[in-house]
Amino acid sequence: MDTEAVRSFVRAAGLGQLQHAADELGVTQQAVSKRVAALERELGVRLFTRTARGVELTLDGQAFLPHARSIVAGVDRAVSAVRPGSRALRIDVLGLRSAQAVLLHDYWRSHPGTHLDVVTLRVDDPHVAAAAVQAGDVDASFRTVTDPATLPRDVRMIHAFDSPLELLVGPRHPLASARTLTPSQLRRRRIWVPGIAPRSEWAEFYDQLATAFDLRIDAAGPHFGDEVLLDALAESADVATLVGARDRYIWPTCHDLRRIPIVNPTLAYPLSLMVPRTNPHPGLRAIINHFASLTPLPGTAWRPSWATTPSFPTGGSSAWRGDGPG
């Protein structure tokens, strides 16, 4: 059934004249008349009778009208659900406690009218997330394809922000009393990061980090969740882990865990936002500008080889330039 014919019928029924319906729909009276005639042929009934004043519904037209209104409303809702700017902005994050989700929440609290839908695709391979952006399943994804040449042609990456790392330890750990730590102080310490997924961007990040600073990154064992990891840290005298400074972790007071900044250099995990190359959701620009306004990391920061320092300015179309991961 031609939904535009149904829409023309509904407007003509409400206005009582084909010309008025045509004016509202932005078409000619002849076009509305043809649409209604085609709908009548498809239904096998007369929907209108003509009068000196215009048109009036027949009994069949009266019976069909409430259903026709439902059809038009349903089509409008369906279009709004997928048309950028008329639906919520869908952004994929690694987890709801991740720095990405925390910063998006901060943005939403300062812009409460923003229609935002934060989702987690629960995939490790960033190329799968890129495909979701390409297909329109999400409007943007906080993932990084470390080789931009392997990105889909109509997907690009924009540097979002850098997440400085902290060492998370229990009260019995030898470094628990430190106010700050340098990477050299972490050598020969067991840094447990369970569940590092092959082909993930963080697997490559930790490989480069371990090589650059001669660190012992232990990925042994499955990841049973943050709560189990935090329990293990609280009980251990030698196990530590790395967390992002803005990542949100909650533990019982009795755990007495310590988050210790790493400096000289700061260890920076670069976060990129993958977005469509053309027709991005209008709501993305303000969020990208929000990230650009964050306080930059100090100059003495280490980043992996596939990252570059932030370079996009706030505001204007220039915030959309640049195709690299950083």
Side-chain angles (χ1 to χ4, degrees), residues 43 102 111 130 143 180 203 210 220 248-249 260 280 300 302 316:
L43 295 173
V102 171
H111 301 78
R143 312 293 175 111
T180 61
R248 181 173 295 159
Y249 291 90
I260 308 171
T300 53
W302 175 89

Side-chain angles (χ1 to χ4, degrees), residues 158-231:
I158 296 174
H159 182 277
F161 60 93
D162 288 322
S163 179
L165 297 188
E166 298 176 334
L167 192 74
L168 181 62
V169 298
R172 299 169 53 207
H173 194 279
L175 300 176
S177 61
R179 296 177 65 88
T180 61
L181 292 166
T182 63
S184 62
Q185 291 176 280
L186 305 183
R187 289 174 183 159
R188 294 182 294 278
R189 303 288 183 183
R190 183 189 176 198
I191 302 175
W192 190 35
V193 187
I196 296 179
R199 298 185 302 277
S200 65
E201 64 188 81
W202 53 92
E204 185 168 349
F205 174 84
Y206 283 119
D207 283 346
Q208 292 195 19
L209 180 65
T211 300
F213 296 100
D214 192 23
L215 301 184
R216 179 187 170 195
I217 306 293
D218 182 3
H223 183 33
F224 287 104
D226 292 338
E227 288 75 14
V228 173
L229 175 61
L230 298 175
D231 289 345

Side-chain angles (χ1 to χ4, degrees), residues 89 91 103-104 107-108 110-111 114 116 273 280-294 312-316 319-320:
L89 171 62
I91 300 183
L103 285 178
L104 283 175
Y107 174 83
W108 179 82
S110 61
H111 301 78
T114 303
L116 188 61
L273 198 61
H281 192 290
L284 279 170
R285 185 185 302 280
I287 288 178
I288 291 172
N289 288 340
H290 172 72
F291 292 145
S293 70
L294 297 175
F312 59 84
T314 60
W320 295 97

Side-chain angles (χ1 to χ4, degrees), residues 26-319:
V27 297
T28 65
Q29 178 178 340
Q30 184 181 20
V32 171
S33 181
K34 287 183 176 180
R35 289 176 183 177
V36 172
L39 184 61
E40 288 176 328
R41 287 195 299 272
E42 183 172 358
L43 295 173
V45 297
R46 292 289 301 276
L47 298 174
F48 288 121
T49 57
R50 293 185 177 272
T51 69
R53 291 183 169 183
V55 292
E56 291 183 358
L57 289 169
T58 63
L59 291 178
D60 288 322
Q62 294 174 32
F64 182 62
L65 181 60
H67 304 290
R69 285 174 173 158
S70 296
I71 291 171
V72 172
V75 169
D76 289 343
R77 286 194 299 271
V79 171
S80 296
V82 299
R83 178 174 292 161
S86 61
R87 58 162 172 76
L89 171 62
R90 291 192 298 261
I91 300 183
D92 162 54
V93 298
L94 290 175
L96 295 180
R97 294 182 180 178
S98 66
Q100 308 119 55
V102 171
L103 285 178
L104 283 175
H105 183 237
D106 289 344
Y107 174 83
W108 179 82
R109 286 195 303 173
S110 61
H111 301 78
T114 303
H115 297 294
L116 188 61
D117 186 10
V118 179
V119 302
T120 54
L121 293 178
R122 301 191 182 280
V123 298
D124 297 322
D125 188 343
H127 293 89
V128 178
V133 174
Q134 182 182 33
D137 296 333
V138 294
D139 297 301
S141 176
F142 275 104
R143 312 293 175 111
T144 299
V145 172
T146 57
D147 180 3
T150 64
L151 271 175
R153 282 182 140 188
D154 45 0
V155 175
R156 62 181 301 188
M157 288 189 298
I158 296 174
H159 182 277
F161 60 93
D162 288 322
S163 179
L165 297 188
E166 298 176 334
L167 192 74
L168 181 62
V169 298
R172 299 169 53 207
H173 194 279
L175 300 176
S177 61
R179 296 177 65 88
T180 61
L181 292 166
T182 63
S184 62
Q185 291 176 280
L186 305 183
R187 289 174 183 159
R188 294 182 294 278
R189 303 288 183 183
R190 183 189 176 198
I191 302 175
W192 190 35
V193 187
I196 296 179
R199 298 185 302 277
S200 65
E201 64 188 81
W202 53 92
E204 185 168 349
F205 174 84
Y206 283 119
D207 283 346
Q208 292 195 19
L209 180 65
T211 300
F213 296 100
D214 192 23
L215 301 184
R216 179 187 170 195
I217 306 293
D218 182 3
H223 183 33
F224 287 104
D226 292 338
E227 288 75 14
V228 173
L229 175 61
L230 298 175
D231 289 345
L233 294 174
E235 298 168 359
S236 175
D238 66 343
V239 177
T241 195
L242 293 170
V243 297
R246 293 187 178 93
D247 294 345
R248 181 173 295 159
Y249 291 90
I250 301 173
W251 55 79
T253 304
C254 61
H255 278 12
D256 193 23
L257 300 183
R258 322 288 174 83
R259 299 180 68 147
I260 308 171
I262 302 171
V263 298
N264 298 323
T266 299
L267 305 182
Y269 190 107
L271 289 156
S272 300
L273 198 61
M274 294 195 294
V275 300
R277 189 172 293 277
T278 58
N279 298 321
H281 192 290
L284 279 170
R285 185 185 302 280
I287 288 178
I288 291 172
N289 288 340
H290 172 72
F291 292 145
S293 70
L294 297 175
T295 302
L297 298 185
T300 53
W302 175 89
R303 296 175 178 85
S305 63
W306 38 266
T308 60
T309 55
S311 59
F312 59 84
T314 60
S317 61
S318 57

